[in-house]
Amino acid sequence: MSSPKPPKKTHSVVPGQTVTLEQVAAHAGVSPSTVSRILNGTAVVSPAKKAAVEAAIQELGFRPNPVARGLAGGRTMSIGVVTQIISSPFYGEALLGIEEQLEQAGYVPLIVSGHWRDVDERKALQTLLARRVDGLIVFAGRLSAADLLQEAAGLPLVVMGRQVQGPQAFSFSFDNRKGARLATEHLLAQGHRRIAFVMGDPVHDDAADRYQGYLDALAAAGLAADPALLTQGDYTEGGGLLAITHLLARGQSFSAVFSCNDQMAIGAAHGLRRHGLRVPDDVSLVGFDDVVLARYAMPPLTTVRQSMLDMGHQAAKAVLDQLAGRPPQVQLPAPELVVRDSTRRLAR
Amino acid sequence: MSSPKPPKKTHSVVPGQTVTLEQVAAHAGVSPSTVSRILNGTAVVSPAKKAAVEAAIQELGFRPNPVARGLAGGRTMSIGVVTQIISSPFYGEALLGIEEQLEQAGYVPLIVSGHWRDVDERKALQTLLARRVDGLIVFAGRLSAADLLQEAAGLPLVVMGRQVQGPQAFSFSFDNRKGARLATEHLLAQGHRRIAFVMGDPVHDDAADRYQGYLDALAAAGLAADPALLTQGDYTEGGGLLAITHLLARGQSFSAVFSCNDQMAIGAAHGLRRHGLRVPDDVSLVGFDDVVLARYAMPPLTTVRQSMLDMGHQAAKAVLDQLAGRPPQVQLPAPELVVRDSTRRLAR
DNA sequence: TTGTAGGCGTTATCAC
DNA sequence: GTGATAACGCCTACAA
């Protein structure tokens, strides 16, 4: 057997190394506290020592240990993120936005899924708290606002898609009602009168708001909403397929469908097709969110643009703001209808 | 109306609390080390004390602090995961699988994106190492195997989609070559002879392997591959669209397209449609992966099933195995062709 | 089997 | 400004 080759020391920068702050201090001829102060900007130090320390850090390739920092200072430089289903393109885009934004500030997202289940969300929050995350970003789920606030236990909290009032809670939503109204008005303007609505779980504010926007548009046009045209799904393609199938089985007739999100819209398109109804020739279809697949659906889906990437950015910015003691601010884009090929004027 | 129900306090369990191991020890009348031993199964303790400690843990609602554990014991109970793009449905499904599996073992994934960029992957690994993750799961990226191994610095490492040899590295791939051969054979069996291939970046083993499978099938049928029918994309819908557009611009004629992944296949379908070519009437189309959108594409996409959820499970199991000192084992499903509606017999 | 003591790498609180 | 000196919450020899 050959002799084990010693790890080549590039200077002293070796991956997996364990250069400590103490070593840096020794190397620079100062005390550990001084190094710490320079690292955190906690106090003013003399330029000379500062330079020496910075040189030592460079030379030794020192990186502060977040774990130790977490224990000592209580800051882990990580933000807990509660999504519902990590594999969903909807959440995926938002997570990307969050990650991008946090990275710049040296934070890392700790992502845990709630699976749309009360207990799982609660467990997720507890896991995150146990891990001592510095802040929380939560996507609207099933947990009550009160429970959410209680579990968050005073940590900076940003909630997307639901209003939550609390001392350190900041919540914001896309203007779902307006967006849904836009979508419905578009269909109305094309002459559609019997517009089916595929709702999400009304427990969620966004689903309820979008339904409200649909009603708004109908009312403004002097139309009454036909409850028989209302159906519900679980935000997935399969759910949309099921919902539209039920509607058709009930023998309802309609010339357009407005779905609470793109994924269900795409499922609905399949359901319609199975019943010999073509989109948009026989039935116009509008989604919501404008996830990537909306553009590549066949036909490309008319939808309401809600950039989840942007929402993710905003959410991350908001926690970061709270962490920095700044009042969180978000710049939400106005709802915008993206007209593609899944809608057309009602042939009379 | 009834009075607001007070949050049921289960004993003294309050979210955000900070019950320490020391308090548990005091409560149970034993030393901290004993509690620690019980928690970790490090040594045998008397049943009596064990019971007392467990009762105390229950009553106080104690949860060990992973941060402190990480500092003291060197185990953070977190696994670093390097994906390329977190928002991609492909990675999303795998992440879901990883998360599910890790959760059962009390581990949490720390997900960082490499964005298909050498530098970002390296940085991702460094971030993960700095955070003292206990193990690493890496999706094939652009970083060389040597660099990968060096950055991983001896940590248990599981690599998916690329072969990496190393003392503590374990890598596995789906049988891409076989899968691609299956897909191509399917098209050949339907009479197609001019089959375009939309490749991914050949730097990646899976892309290269799938191309090889395509060549295998062609060769077995006594056909030569026409280089003019080869095009390349970046795994996204947009990339597939572009790739097929280039191919058509070059004036190539073909009756079928095999795409390296589903997303590019869907983009390709759009490109074909724009040129007045219908799928499958004019051109048959096969994808690879069988992500959710394949089923809901229009027409539903014939593809090679590769359950990323399962791959995620396997990867997580493999790191867990390594962590437990067991030799990692994975059970990979055999490639399977899922025939849907995007392919049809060549009309002659 | 069980307890004591020291240490993991930083930050924070004191004095100087 | 700067440096000792405690924590932070847990693990792990070592001793008993």
Side-chain angles (χ1 to χ4, degrees), chain A residues 75-95:
Chain A
R75 291 157 25 96
T76 54
M77 299 303 281
S78 61
I79 301 294
V81 180
V82 179
T83 77
Q84 296 308 325
I85 305 181
I86 195 176
S87 64
S88 143
F90 178 76
Y91 292 111
E93 286 178 35
L95 291 177

Side-chain angles (χ1 to χ4, degrees), chain A residues 9-87:
Chain A
K9 301 219 171 182
T10 324
H11 307 289
S12 28
V13 184
V14 179
Q17 77 214 281
T18 307
V19 180
T20 69
L21 180 150
E22 202 173 333
Q23 292 171 23
V24 172
H27 195 92
V30 300
S31 76
S33 337
T34 300
V35 178
S36 175
R37 282 194 267 263
I38 291 173
L39 249 35
N40 304 292
T42 315
V44 189
V45 302
S46 71
K49 303 214 168 185
K50 184 163 182 176
V53 168
E54 276 164 352
I57 290 179
Q58 280 297 335
E59 208 165 327
L60 267 43
F62 166 76
R63 291 195 61 172
N65 180 337
V67 180
R69 277 188 157 178
L71 226 210
R75 291 157 25 96
T76 54
M77 299 303 281
S78 61
I79 301 294
V81 180
V82 179
T83 77
Q84 296 308 325
I85 305 181
I86 195 176
S87 64

Side-chain angles (χ1 to χ4, degrees), chain B residues 263-326:
Chain B
Q263 288 174 264
M264 287 198 291
I266 286 168
H270 275 257
L272 292 168
R273 182 82 46 137
R274 284 196 195 163
H275 282 72
L277 296 168
R278 288 162 309 163
V279 175
D281 312 75
D282 302 310
V283 175
S284 282
L285 179 64
V286 180
F288 204 114
D289 290 342
D290 196 24
V291 293
V292 174
L293 49 315
R295 178 190 307 268
Y296 290 96
M298 198 70 88
L301 193 63
T302 292
T303 187
V304 179
R305 174 151 187 73
Q306 173 188 201
S307 167
M308 287 312 290
L309 182 70
D310 200 27
M311 297 287 273
H313 282 153
Q314 303 288 338
K317 242 167 52 70
V319 243
L320 256 21
D321 280 343
Q322 283 186 262
L323 251 20
R326 288 176 242 124

Side-chain angles (χ1 to χ4, degrees), chain B residues 20-21 36 40 62 65 69 72:
Chain B
T20 70
L21 181 150
S36 174
N40 304 294
F62 167 74
N65 180 337
R69 276 189 158 178

